[in-house]
Amino acid sequence: MKAKLIIVLMLSTLASCKKDLMKEIRNEAWNNERAILQITFENQVGSATIQRDENQNGEITFMYNQTAGDAENIKIKELELSYGASSDILKDQILTFDDKQTAQIKVTSKSGQDRIWKISYIPFSDELVGTWQISTLSVYGGAWPEYGGAAAHPSMAERSWNWKPDGSGPLAEYDNTLTFSLEGITEEGDAYGKVVHDAGPDNKYANFIFVDDPDGAAVPIDVNSKYRKIPIGEGTWKRNSKQGTITFSSTSLVSTAKFIASSTLALDDYNNSIIIKDKAFEFELQPTFIWIDIYKDRERFVENAKKYWVQIKKISE
């Protein structure tokens, strides 16, 4: 009889403990988690860095595209917290930063414990971002400069007789614009984004058809493979900061250029040079060293073109 009483008391105690345990689980009194697992801001560049210091204080840093506008009031596009946690700022709300580019978010666990997360951003910009107008297209070409066979042409359009007379030559590009937008930055620090090549007021893109012997047979030669280096319409760009180059890509082409500043470029030892007035994309071309007539424009624009510049001037940020 005594043994049965002990068993009943044990079962009763076990049931009581089980009941209290389930109550605690249901109340989530155990849940002290108050972490920010993921966060994304409008006009953020790359991914945010989320970490805690030795005192378990939360710190978040991210890069902000400062060319996008108001850097004081930034919208939160995405916010993921620990299970059961809540915050004083929610997704799609505005977080206000001080003049030191810092702000804070308070995250509260289900159990009622708080953690203050310090948010700070690093302003990021790339001088390429904005809208540029193509001002001129320049070429250096011709083999054997020691014999006078090479020449620099500051404007391809000036030698209009080398191109089809329907207005589709290089001059068609001179009112075109290039608008660069920033989408992100790689772990190596290389910016990338979209580029929109607009046809400008004349609604024309150049069709690079060189006309050989304009006073004779006028044989057309398609040289778009040499000079169509920037995509028509929409494409992408990516900067290689170590090499100082920009790579353009689209479904139909990939090309890489140096992005160079205003300067006078000496091209050989025979007084050939090009003046870059503002900025330019410099493309290396591959000469064939086929000798037809070293003093003809065909040598300089077709067979033995060596360098090509798309000169640009910024018109808006």
Side-chain angles (χ1 to χ4, degrees):
M1 189 67 173
K2 187 181 292 186
K4 288 183 179 181
L5 181 59
I6 292 173
I7 292 173
V8 169
L9 289 173
M10 290 177 64
L11 289 173
S12 176
T13 302
L14 182 61
S16 176
C17 291
K18 184 177 181 181
K19 182 178 179 180
D20 292 340
L21 180 61
M22 293 305 295
K23 181 179 179 181
E24 186 177 344
I25 290 173
R26 283 194 299 270
N27 290 339
E28 296 191 40
W30 52 272
N31 187 354
N32 299 321
E33 289 302 314
R34 50 202 185 277
I36 293 178
L37 303 178
Q38 188 168 347
I39 190 167
T40 305
F41 293 91
E42 197 167 51
N43 300 314
Q44 177 178 316
V45 179
S47 300
T49 300
I50 303 173
Q51 59 186 8
R52 299 181 197 174
D53 63 19
E54 63 275 8
N55 298 317
Q56 294 300 301
N57 297 313
E59 295 183 354
I60 294 175
T61 57
F62 67 98
M63 285 190 175
Y64 179 76
N65 177 9
Q66 65 179 8
T67 64
D70 187 2
E72 182 179 343
N73 301 294
I74 304 176
K75 179 189 280 189
I76 299 174
K77 292 178 61 178
E78 184 179 9
L79 180 61
E80 183 182 352
L81 307 176
S82 299
Y83 172 72
S86 60
S87 61
D88 59 346
I89 300 290
L90 306 177
K91 175 185 174 184
D92 294 327
Q93 291 186 341
I94 300 297
L95 187 63
T96 299
F97 289 78
D98 60 24
D99 57 2
K100 295 182 179 179
Q101 296 141 13
T102 62
Q104 65 180 35
I105 296 176
K106 182 171 74 172
V107 178
T108 304
S109 70
K110 191 68 176 180
S111 63
Q113 297 189 41
D114 295 331
R115 174 176 289 128
I116 301 299
W117 287 81
K118 179 183 176 183
I119 318 294
S120 59
Y121 71 82
I122 300 168
F124 179 86
S125 65
D126 190 292
E127 63 177 325
L128 202 57
V129 173
T131 299
W132 305 73
Q133 182 171 334
I134 296 176
S135 54
T136 188
L137 304 178
S138 310
V139 172
Y140 169 64
W144 304 282
E146 62 271 28
Y147 299 112
H153 297 293
S155 173
M156 294 171 69
E158 287 180 353
R159 303 180 80 78
S160 58
W161 57 88
N162 287 322
W163 311 99
K164 293 179 71 174
D166 59 0
S168 65
L171 187 61
E173 299 274 299
Y174 285 25
D175 65 343
N176 290 15
T177 59
L178 302 171
T179 300
F180 293 85
S181 59
L182 181 67
E183 291 192 328
I185 182 170
T186 67
E187 292 182 358
E188 293 77 24
D190 297 333
Y192 61 89
K194 288 183 181 178
V195 56
V196 176
H197 183 182
D198 185 83
D202 67 0
N203 201 33
K204 290 182 179 179
Y205 296 98
N207 183 22
F208 296 97
I209 305 297
F210 183 87
V211 178
D212 189 33
D213 192 11
D215 299 322
V219 178
I221 304 172
D222 189 330
V223 288
N224 278 284
S225 61
K226 290 182 180 292
Y227 300 116
R228 174 50 63 212
K229 296 297 187 182
I230 299 177
I232 288 174
E234 186 175 300
T236 63
W237 65 275
K238 183 177 180 181
R239 180 188 289 275
N240 186 314
S241 54
K242 291 182 179 179
Q243 297 180 7
T245 59
I246 305 293
T247 296
F248 296 95
S249 303
S250 71
T251 55
S252 58
L253 69 82
V254 176
S255 64
T256 298
K258 289 182 179 179
F259 187 47
I260 59 176
S262 174
S263 57
T264 299
L265 305 176
L267 303 172
D268 53 37
D269 295 329
Y270 302 93
N271 299 319
N272 286 305
S273 63
I274 283 285
I275 295 175
I276 305 301
K277 292 183 179 180
D278 293 287
K279 299 280 188 177
F281 298 110
E282 179 184 84
F283 297 90
E284 296 286 341
L285 304 181
Q286 184 59 51
T288 65
F289 292 102
I290 295 173
W291 187 329
I292 295 177
D293 184 336
I294 67 171
Y295 305 112
K296 290 182 65 175
D297 283 354
R298 176 170 171 173
E299 285 279 342
R300 296 158 181 173
F301 285 101
V302 183
E303 270 77 19
N304 293 311
K306 296 178 178 179
K307 288 182 181 289
Y308 170 52
W309 297 267
V310 178
Q311 297 206 41
I312 56 177
K313 182 177 182 178
K314 200 164 201 178
I315 57 175
S316 67
E317 296 293 337

